[in-house]
């Protein structure tokens, strides 16, 4: 099955028209949708570890400037119509998360083997409902889950030991600069959690739309059904490892060398060194999603890596 993220949701981004913040939010909403249906069923194997296509995406904008939650919901409403995709609690606590993982656990077939996974997607218009930066245990959990650990163990006084097999979390949330300032002091920026997030920021309206019904496709209901069918296909057809073709590997090696040897390629703020250390991971996770958006060959091509790099750079400023 052949598809293209550009055609899949054509209003989300014109790759040749620049990288305005509102368009980038639509792009990352689409990325979160595809990640949600891919789950832990696909990966990029680096022998000593695997990269899974899960993201922590945070939309940041002052109130009323950008329709952050509406943008997120446009995509998540499609995902919710895909059978078998499980969402976590609206307000995350240890107990609620462990219960949700237990309900999400399932096995999927890869070749002759059946592999476990416990995949959850978390989505909220209020980031504070998903994570409390002051709760060190919860923050450490999110760090562990992003890294794709094979299991997670939580010991509590009340329930003893809870073990989650092959946990996986994909998160998208919305917040304001004021919440960031109040809850993420400067000392935490660049730390383990924030370096694993993709923050998508906007401080202005790109277009002025007073009445959204005047800008809605006449066939929007039928189009939504086609998008949901595409997501459902991805959720069932794509299983197992993705591979990098030789052109992508050659480009990726040069990118890595430039990244760590050329000062001009680094962000001039030591608080973001943690993000830079994980940028290669962000880029390859995103390239995997972009490959999945094109078709079923499970091959990451040069165009996927190059576009992933471009889209990450667009969020860095």
């Amino acid at each position: 099955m052949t598809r293209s993220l550009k055609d899949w949701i054509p209003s989300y981004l014109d790759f040749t028209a620049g990288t305005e913040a509102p368009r980038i939010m639509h792009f990352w909403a689409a990325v979160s949708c595809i990640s949600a249906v891919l789950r832990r069923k696909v990966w990029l194997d680096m022998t000593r570890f695997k990269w899974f296509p899960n993201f922590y995406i945070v939309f940041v904008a002052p109130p009323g400037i950008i329709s952050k939650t509406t943008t997120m919901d446009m995509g998540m409403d499609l995902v919710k119509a895909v059978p078998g995709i499980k969402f976590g609690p609206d307000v995350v606590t240890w107990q609620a998360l462990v219960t949700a993982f237990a309900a999400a656990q399932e096995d999927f077939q890869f070749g002759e083997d059946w592999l476990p996974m416990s995949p959850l997607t978390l989505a909220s218009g209020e980031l504070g409902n998903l994570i409390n930066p002051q709760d060190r245990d919860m923050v450490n959990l999110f760090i562990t889950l992003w890294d794709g650990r094979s299991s997670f163990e939580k010991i509590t006084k009340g329930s003893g030991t809870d073990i989650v097999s092959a946990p996986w979390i994909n998160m998208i949330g919305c917040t304001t600069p004021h919440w960031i300032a109040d809850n993420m002091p400067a000392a935490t920026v660049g730390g383990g959690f924030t370096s694993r997030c993709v923050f998508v920021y906007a401080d202005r309206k790109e277009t002025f739309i007073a009445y959204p019904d005047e800008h809605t496709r006449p066939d929007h209901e039928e189009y939504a059904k086609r998008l949901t069918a595409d997501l459902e296909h991805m959720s069932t057809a794509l299983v197992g490892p993705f591979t990098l073709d030789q052109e992508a590997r050659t480009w990726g090696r040069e990118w890595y060398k430039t990244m760590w040897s050329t000062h001009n390629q680094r962000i001039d703020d030591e608080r973001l060194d943690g993000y830079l250390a994980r940028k290669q991971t962000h880029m390859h996770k995103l390239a995997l999603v972009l490959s999945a958006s094109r078709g079923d060959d499970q091959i990451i091509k040069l165009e996927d890596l190059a576009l992933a790099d471009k889209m990450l750079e667009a969020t860095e400023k």
Side-chain angles (χ1 to χ4, degrees):
M1 183 173 181
T2 301
R3 53 190 169 269
S4 166
L5 186 59
K6 182 179 177 182
D7 297 328
W8 188 69
I9 303 181
S11 64
Y12 274 17
L13 185 71
D14 180 348
F15 295 151
T16 64
T19 52
E20 294 84 352
R23 294 187 181 185
I24 294 176
M25 282 193 177
H26 285 285
F27 172 87
W28 285 102
V31 168
S32 189
C33 289
I34 296 176
S35 298
V37 299
L38 293 177
R39 296 164 289 172
R40 200 180 167 108
K41 293 176 68 176
V42 298
W43 57 85
L44 184 57
D45 195 342
M46 292 286 105
T47 306
R48 295 186 179 275
F49 58 86
K50 294 177 181 177
W51 282 321
F52 295 96
N54 61 311
F55 288 89
Y56 295 167
I57 297 170
V58 182
F59 292 163
V60 185
I65 298 296
I66 301 294
S67 299
K68 303 183 293 295
T69 302
T70 300
T71 300
M72 177 191 72
D73 286 344
M74 284 170 57
M76 289 298 115
D77 286 347
L78 300 175
V79 176
K80 289 175 181 177
V82 176
I85 306 304
K86 300 178 177 67
F87 282 78
D90 293 332
V91 178
V92 173
T93 63
W94 280 108
Q95 184 178 11
L97 200 57
V98 169
T99 300
F101 272 132
Q105 187 166 342
E106 61 181 293
D107 295 330
F108 65 93
Q109 188 171 11
F110 173 53
E112 299 297 321
D113 299 322
W114 285 87
L115 305 178
M117 66 173 179
S118 302
L120 291 174
T121 286
L122 304 178
S124 177
E126 297 293 339
L127 182 64
N129 289 336
L130 300 181
I131 184 155
N132 175 9
Q134 314 306 322
D135 185 339
R136 178 47 52 188
D137 287 341
M138 181 64 74
V139 169
N140 288 338
L141 170 64
F142 275 94
I143 291 172
T144 298
L145 293 174
W146 189 85
D147 290 342
R149 302 293 177 83
S150 59
S151 65
F152 164 71
E153 182 176 312
K154 173 63 176 174
I155 302 175
T156 60
K157 293 181 180 179
S159 59
T161 302
D162 293 305
I163 299 177
V164 179
S165 181
W168 180 95
I169 276 188
N170 182 56
M171 183 180 74
I172 182 168
C174 308
T175 192
T176 63
H178 182 74
W179 188 93
I180 294 284
D182 286 347
N183 293 276
M184 292 185 177
T188 69
V189 175
F193 175 71
T194 60
S195 66
R196 288 166 171 80
C197 294
V198 175
F199 291 92
V200 187
Y201 174 72
D203 59 2
R204 62 177 178 79
K205 289 184 177 292
E206 181 185 7
T207 56
F208 298 96
I209 299 176
Y211 304 108
D213 63 333
E214 298 174 351
H215 299 265
T216 302
R217 296 171 58 111
D219 63 339
H220 69 95
E221 291 184 356
E222 180 59 34
Y223 191 53
K225 292 179 181 178
R226 296 202 302 270
L227 296 179
T228 299
D230 200 0
L231 286 170
E232 185 173 352
H233 174 84
M234 294 184 207
S235 75
T236 57
L238 302 181
V239 181
F242 276 56
T243 59
L244 289 156
D245 71 12
Q246 194 55 52
E247 208 177 10
R249 283 183 175 273
T250 300
W251 187 92
R253 283 192 292 267
E254 287 301 313
W255 178 93
Y256 188 82
K257 179 180 178 180
T258 300
M259 171 73 182
W260 291 109
S261 62
T262 306
H263 180 75
N264 291 339
Q265 296 297 317
R266 298 174 62 84
I267 302 171
D268 190 20
D269 190 329
E270 63 181 15
R271 292 174 299 177
L272 298 182
D273 284 349
Y275 165 78
L276 287 170
R278 292 176 180 87
K279 184 173 178 179
Q280 183 193 29
T281 302
H282 284 295
M283 185 173 71
H284 284 80
K285 284 173 175 271
L286 181 53
L288 188 157
V289 168
L290 292 170
S291 173
S293 78
R294 286 189 293 99
D296 294 349
D297 61 12
Q298 298 190 199
I299 298 174
I300 297 173
K301 299 180 179 179
L302 170 58
E303 65 188 87
D304 302 317
L305 274 183
L307 180 56
D309 181 43
K310 175 182 177 182
M311 298 314 298
L312 285 169
E313 285 188 355
T315 69
E316 289 168 3
K317 181 177 180 180

